[in-house]
């Protein structure tokens, strides 16, 4: 499913920084699976609060909490009990954490999840419990979408969106490199498949992506040395969290520092400040940037910077949108009668367009993922700090 999105075009605005605040959430019972408080909805949020992707997981948690904090801790007029669990680095931690939320705590809805591997691993649990799964980070392909939705994107879409631009701008082969786990496979496949389809050539010796062991790879210099020995005219990569910091810093000190670097997520979030000047000029593809000029984003950025000494990220935005989706869906379910996991799931399917900081979007019928615009960004100075500044629109994808 595709439709034309009316995305408010950009005009630079500068959010006001403020002090970090601690959010307090009211506790209560649950409406669907629990044993108390029919007016309270239990939401289980699973995110990486430890490990390599802690910077991503904390953003997911903060984005969801921001929406609650600015909406009287209610969704659809119902009080919310938010139960947060640590996903860690993937399935070994995510599965037991999710199992507790579903079977013991009996949450009505699941949201969050950083790793595509975690998503795949908890699907049997979600299908058995028949509760809505509203993921707020990259999602792999899922066979049974009955209870599955995402407010972020499918994992192969960033690479697919930027591939035509890279093909147009780079005069020669491109070297593809990423981490060897599900998310990495999906992210790089999106780029390499589309790049090859439109006539692009990979500089990798075997014509296939180079994989770095995850999470143990912290020294990327040997990989950069191999890139330098190739005929690469540019590099495409996907890394996030601590791995992104190591990758960007070492790239700037390597023999390939002069090659243009195109990426998904390498400079997104708090990692940008940690990367410092090493991140300058890196290009990235994403469905959000803090400088998008629309009313929903102005409100979001103002609320975020009132509580955080940083600009919001796509991770925070997608989780904020997950809360917004639940707000509307729970309200619609309440109008029809009982608020249960089943009625919430049915209401999500009928929501239509969502007014979002990224621009208007809606769930596609085929993949239950956003049909949305993608943007090319570049790390440039923004006042005294570096920021991912939107350069141009790239494509509209989703379905």
């Amino acid at each position: 499913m595709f439709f034309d999105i009316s995305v408010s075009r950009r005009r630079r605005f500068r959010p006001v920084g403020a002090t970090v605040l601690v959010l307090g959430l009211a506790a209560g019972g649950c409406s669907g699976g629990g044993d108390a408080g029919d007016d309270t909805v239990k939401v289980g949020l699973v995110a990486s609060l430890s490990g390599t992707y802690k910077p991503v997981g904390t953003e997911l948690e903060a984005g969801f909490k921001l929406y609650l904090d600015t909406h009287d801790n209610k969704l659809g007029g119902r009080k919310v009990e938010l139960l947060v669990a640590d996903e860690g680095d993937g399935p070994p931690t995510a599965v037991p954490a999710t199992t507790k939320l579903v079977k013991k705590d009996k949450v009505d809805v699941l949201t969050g999840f950083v790793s595509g591997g975690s998503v795949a691993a908890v699907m049997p649990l979600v299908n058995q419990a028949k509760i809505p799964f509203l993921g707020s980070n990259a999602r792999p392909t899922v066979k049974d979408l009955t209870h599955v939705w995402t407010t972020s994107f499918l994992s192969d879409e960033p690479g697919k969106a930027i591939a035509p631009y890279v093909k147009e701008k780079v005069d020669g082969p491109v070297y593809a490199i990423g981490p060897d786990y599900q998310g990495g496979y999906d992210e790089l496949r999106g780029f390499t498949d589309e790049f090859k389809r439109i006539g692009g050539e990979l500089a990798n010796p075997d014509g296939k992506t180079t994989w770095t062991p995850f999470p143990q790879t912290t020294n990327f210099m040997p990989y950069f040395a191999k890139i330098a020995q190739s005929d690469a005219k540019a590099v495409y990569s996907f890394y996030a969290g601590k791995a992104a910091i190591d990758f960007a810093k070492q790239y700037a000190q390597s023999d390939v520092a002069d090659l243009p670097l195109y990426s998904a997520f390498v400079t997104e979030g708090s990692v940008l400040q940690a990367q410092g000047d090493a991140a300058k000029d890196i290009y990235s593809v994403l469905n959000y940037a803090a400088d998008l000029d629309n009313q929903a984003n102005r409100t979001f950025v103002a609320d975020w910077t009132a509580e955080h000494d940083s600009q919001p990220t796509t991770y925070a935005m997608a989780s904020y949108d997950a809360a917004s989706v639940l707000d509307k869906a729970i309200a619609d379910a309440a109008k029809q009668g009982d608020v249960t996991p089943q009625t919430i799931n049915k209401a999500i399917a009928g929501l239509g367009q969502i007014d979002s900081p990224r621009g208007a979007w809606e769930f596609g019928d085929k993949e239950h993922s956003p049909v949305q615009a993608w943007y090319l960004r570049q790390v440039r100075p923004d006042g005294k700090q570096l920021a991912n500044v939107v350069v141009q629109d790239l494509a509209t994808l989703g379905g």
Side-chain angles (χ1 to χ4, degrees), residues 9-150:
R9 292 302 178 242
R10 302 168 297 279
R11 187 177 67 245
R12 297 294 296 158
F13 70 96
R14 194 175 307 282
V16 179
T19 307
V20 176
L21 301 179
V22 178
L23 295 174
L25 296 179
C30 69
S31 60
D35 50 13
D38 288 343
D39 289 336
T40 300
V41 176
K42 274 191 174 183
V43 177
L45 189 153
V46 182
S48 297
L49 305 179
S50 64
T52 302
Y53 287 152
K54 181 179 178 180
V56 179
T58 54
E59 294 275 321
L60 294 185
E61 180 183 14
F64 199 94
K65 285 185 173 180
L66 178 65
Y67 192 94
L68 290 179
D69 188 50
T70 54
H71 290 78
D72 197 28
N73 196 50
K74 292 182 178 180
L75 296 176
R78 303 295 179 99
K79 292 181 180 179
V80 174
E81 181 179 2
L82 180 64
L83 303 174
V84 180
D86 186 8
E87 177 185 351
D89 276 330
T93 312
V95 171
T98 307
T99 300
K100 178 181 180 298
L101 289 175
V102 173
K103 293 190 174 182
K104 182 179 179 180
D105 299 319
K106 299 187 182 301
V107 296
D108 299 294
V109 179
L110 276 174
T111 189
F113 291 88
V114 172
S115 164
S118 297
V119 173
V122 303
M123 279 301 102
L125 185 65
V126 170
N127 292 331
Q128 181 183 30
K130 297 181 179 179
I131 61 175
F133 177 95
L134 190 60
S136 54
N137 199 40
R139 194 197 80 200
T141 300
V142 173
K143 291 183 178 180
D144 187 352
L145 290 168
T146 305
H147 304 95
V148 179
W149 311 86
T150 180

Side-chain angles (χ1 to χ4, degrees), residues 305-369:
T305 54
E307 299 193 4
H308 301 271
D309 191 21
S310 65
Q311 289 189 331
T313 64
T314 190
Y315 313 122
M317 179 277 298
S319 197
Y320 180 91
D321 271 9
S324 175
V325 165
L326 288 176
D327 193 8
K328 296 173 177 62
I330 292 169
D332 287 351
K335 293 176 184 177
Q336 302 302 318
D338 292 338
V339 176
T340 68
Q342 292 72 34
T343 60
I344 293 172
N345 193 66
K346 182 178 179 180
I348 292 174
L351 285 181
Q353 285 202 10
I354 306 297
D355 186 22
S356 166
R358 79 190 81 176
W361 64 272
E362 71 177 42
F363 288 113
D365 294 332
K366 183 179 179 181
E367 293 289 351
H368 289 186
S369 64

Side-chain angles (χ1 to χ4, degrees), residues 89-347:
D89 276 330
T93 312
V95 171
T98 307
T99 300
K100 178 181 180 298
L101 289 175
V102 173
K103 293 190 174 182
K104 182 179 179 180
D105 299 319
K106 299 187 182 301
V107 296
D108 299 294
V109 179
L110 276 174
T111 189
F113 291 88
V114 172
S115 164
S118 297
V119 173
V122 303
M123 279 301 102
L125 185 65
V126 170
N127 292 331
Q128 181 183 30
K130 297 181 179 179
I131 61 175
F133 177 95
L134 190 60
S136 54
N137 199 40
R139 194 197 80 200
T141 300
V142 173
K143 291 183 178 180
D144 187 352
L145 290 168
T146 305
H147 304 95
V148 179
W149 311 86
T150 180
T151 58
S152 52
F153 49 87
L154 299 184
S155 300
D156 63 350
E157 289 179 336
K160 188 181 298 184
I162 198 175
Y165 178 87
V166 175
K167 175 66 169 59
E168 177 186 349
K169 295 296 181 180
V170 178
D171 184 18
V174 175
Y175 200 99
I177 182 171
D180 68 343
Y181 69 99
Q182 186 63 53
Y185 302 149
D186 293 339
E187 294 284 353
L188 269 296
R189 173 175 50 80
F191 175 80
T192 57
D193 284 2
E194 181 66 11
F195 191 62
K196 290 177 181 179
R197 188 188 70 79
I198 59 178
E201 178 187 356
L202 293 185
N204 306 63
D206 57 358
K208 298 179 180 178
T209 299
T210 295
W211 303 110
T212 60
F214 176 85
Q216 59 265 43
T217 302
T218 58
N219 180 15
F220 292 94
M221 284 302 190
Y223 296 96
F224 296 147
K226 290 182 180 179
I227 296 175
Q229 294 170 5
S230 74
D231 58 350
K233 301 301 181 183
V235 174
Y236 181 80
S237 68
F238 157 75
Y239 290 97
K242 184 180 181 301
I245 298 173
D246 294 335
F247 186 88
K249 281 189 170 183
Q250 293 169 32
Y251 192 95
Q253 299 297 321
S254 74
D255 293 338
V256 295
D258 291 337
L259 292 183
L261 176 57
Y262 299 91
S263 72
F265 300 99
V266 168
T267 61
E268 180 66 0
S270 60
V271 298
L272 180 56
Q273 270 56 57
Q275 291 161 348
D277 288 346
K280 280 184 177 179
D281 299 327
I282 293 178
Y283 287 98
S284 62
V285 53
L286 218 50
N287 59 345
Y288 175 72
D291 64 338
L292 289 173
D293 186 30
N294 60 66
Q295 184 55 52
N297 193 43
R298 287 192 291 273
T299 299
F300 174 59
V301 172
D303 289 341
W304 177 270
T305 54
E307 299 193 4
H308 301 271
D309 191 21
S310 65
Q311 289 189 331
T313 64
T314 190
Y315 313 122
M317 179 277 298
S319 197
Y320 180 91
D321 271 9
S324 175
V325 165
L326 288 176
D327 193 8
K328 296 173 177 62
I330 292 169
D332 287 351
K335 293 176 184 177
Q336 302 302 318
D338 292 338
V339 176
T340 68
Q342 292 72 34
T343 60
I344 293 172
N345 193 66
K346 182 178 179 180

